Amino acid sequence: MVAPGLRLGAERLFEMPAVLERLSRSNSTSQAFAEVLRLPKQQLRKLLYPLQEVERFLAPDRRQDLHLRIFDPSPEDIARADKVFTATKGNRIDYVSSAVRIDHAPDLFRPEVVCFIGRSNVGKSSLIKALFSLAPEVEVRVSKKPGHTKKMNFFKVGKHFTVVDMPGYGYRAPEDFVDMVETYLKERRNLKRTFLLVDSVVGIQKTDNIAIEMCEEFALPYVIVLTKIDKSSKGHLLKQVLQIQKFVNTKTQGCFPQLFPVSAVTFSGIHLLRCFIASVTGNLD
């Protein structure tokens, strides 16, 4: 993380415009993120910390139901994480290969951040494309038809880690999906974190429960990411967040307590998710 003398919590930074201005002018901050930091306070909070934006609509006695700040990086941390996801000559971000079985997976000497897993049409490829928006030459295929991804797709992020895009489960899933994904999750030794995507519009479905049970059975550390938050009203999103948070609190053991709401359309939550990935792979130390 950043030096203790420099790091400020998100709330304090929002109260100190001079600090945000200093960070936006820093040489260590990318031009894209510098522009983000110049947004009005409410827009900035909604973009960087969408769960805290939802909190504003909760009654005070219900706020304790949400885990909002277990992972609570400052904008300085987020700026550092964006650098990890920025393609440069010294930090190449590339598609590596695809595989249908674990023995076909590339033998890369890096921690694999994730398999991103989720139902067909949950927005998985769109999310990965948004995460890689600072590396526009990386091709992440996004289809309007659900079930487009049929193989495990591997992307390397410099010398830092590998991102794995898994086939979607449910509608039009590959016939060998269970063997492919279950074997990978169970046997891949350098898997750091599994990100399980749930559609925020419809919430946790039966097929999602199967994936959650698989993560729990294999004692995998995993995170629930809520996609498509731009498609929900504030009231509906808040209802889904509370329901899913209750599920995480009472029905899971290996799930990270904090939810990560995101939109691949508005980019809300994308910077925070990048920062969490950089953190769990040891790239903010």
Side-chain angles (χ1 to χ4, degrees):
M1 306 297 278
V2 297
L6 293 177
R7 188 185 191 282
L8 298 171
E11 291 301 318
R12 286 181 60 198
L13 269 171
F14 280 121
E15 296 169 2
M16 301 176 67
V19 177
L20 286 174
E21 182 63 23
R22 174 173 63 87
L23 182 57
S24 70
R25 294 179 178 180
S26 170
N27 291 332
S28 63
T29 304
S30 69
Q31 182 178 352
F33 193 63
E35 293 176 2
V36 167
L37 292 172
R38 296 190 184 102
L39 291 172
K41 177 181 174 180
Q42 186 171 341
Q43 285 182 253
L44 183 61
R45 188 192 304 274
K46 186 176 182 179
L47 183 68
L48 297 186
Y49 307 100
L51 203 57
Q52 294 181 23
E53 176 69 12
V54 170
E55 178 190 26
R56 298 192 306 119
F57 300 94
L58 268 179
D61 62 332
R62 295 297 307 274
R63 292 180 182 180
Q64 62 184 7
D65 297 338
L66 287 179
H67 298 294
L68 296 170
R69 295 177 177 83
I70 295 175
F71 181 70
D72 186 26
S74 73
E76 288 174 298
D77 295 325
I78 294 175
R80 294 183 69 196
D82 268 21
K83 284 284 190 179
V84 173
F85 280 87
T86 301
T88 63
K89 288 183 179 179
N91 188 52
R92 292 183 60 84
I93 300 176
D94 296 302
Y95 163 77
V96 178
S97 66
S98 299
V100 294
R101 297 201 310 264
I102 189 170
D103 55 342
H104 291 171
D107 189 13
L108 300 172
F109 297 99
R110 335 182 146 74
E112 285 170 4
V113 138
V114 199
C115 47
F116 279 88
I117 62 174
R119 287 190 307 113
S120 300
N121 205 34
V122 75
K124 183 165 45 61
S125 295
S126 296
L127 172 58
I128 293 175
K129 186 170 185 175
L131 290 172
F132 286 156
S133 63
L134 300 174
E137 293 184 1
V138 176
E139 183 179 1
V140 181
R141 295 183 179 180
V142 178
S143 174
K144 293 182 179 179
K145 296 181 179 179
H148 175 75
T149 304
K150 299 295 185 183
K151 299 179 180 179
M152 300 180 287
N153 298 317
F154 296 80
F155 302 85
K156 69 172 184 177
V157 180
K159 297 180 179 179
H160 304 296
F161 50 80
T162 305
V163 169
V164 187
D165 180 10
M166 305 293 275
Y169 50 79
Y171 178 69
R172 293 189 65 193
E175 292 182 3
D176 55 352
F177 173 85
V178 173
D179 289 339
M180 184 193 311
V181 174
E182 183 173 312
T183 302
Y184 182 89
L185 294 178
K186 191 174 183 179
E187 298 184 8
R188 196 66 165 181
R189 299 304 178 194
N190 57 345
L191 183 61
K192 283 287 184 179
R193 195 72 53 136
T194 297
F195 290 79
L196 197 157
L197 276 53
V198 172
D199 188 331
S200 68
V201 178
V202 299
I204 294 175
Q205 303 293 293
K206 290 182 179 179
T207 48
D208 295 318
N209 276 316
I210 294 172
I212 290 168
E213 289 170 5
M214 188 163 55
C215 290
E216 292 285 338
E217 179 184 350
F218 299 154
L220 297 174
Y222 66 103
V223 183
I224 290 182
V225 177
L226 305 181
T227 64
K228 305 180 182 180
I229 63 172
D230 55 287
K231 293 184 180 296
S232 292
S233 66
K234 289 185 176 68
H236 181 73
L237 178 60
L238 182 58
K239 179 182 177 181
Q240 291 287 9
V241 164
L242 288 172
Q243 288 179 347
I244 296 170
Q245 184 72 72
K246 182 178 180 181
F247 176 89
V248 170
N249 293 349
T250 60
K251 304 293 185 181
T252 71
Q253 293 183 337
C255 187
F256 189 73
Q258 183 173 323
L259 305 175
F260 285 82
V262 298
S263 167
V265 175
T266 67
F267 273 69
S268 181
I270 296 296
H271 295 280
L272 186 66
L273 187 58
R274 283 181 188 145
C275 193
F276 184 75
I277 291 171
S279 178
V280 298
T281 54
N283 289 289
L284 286 185
D285 296 338

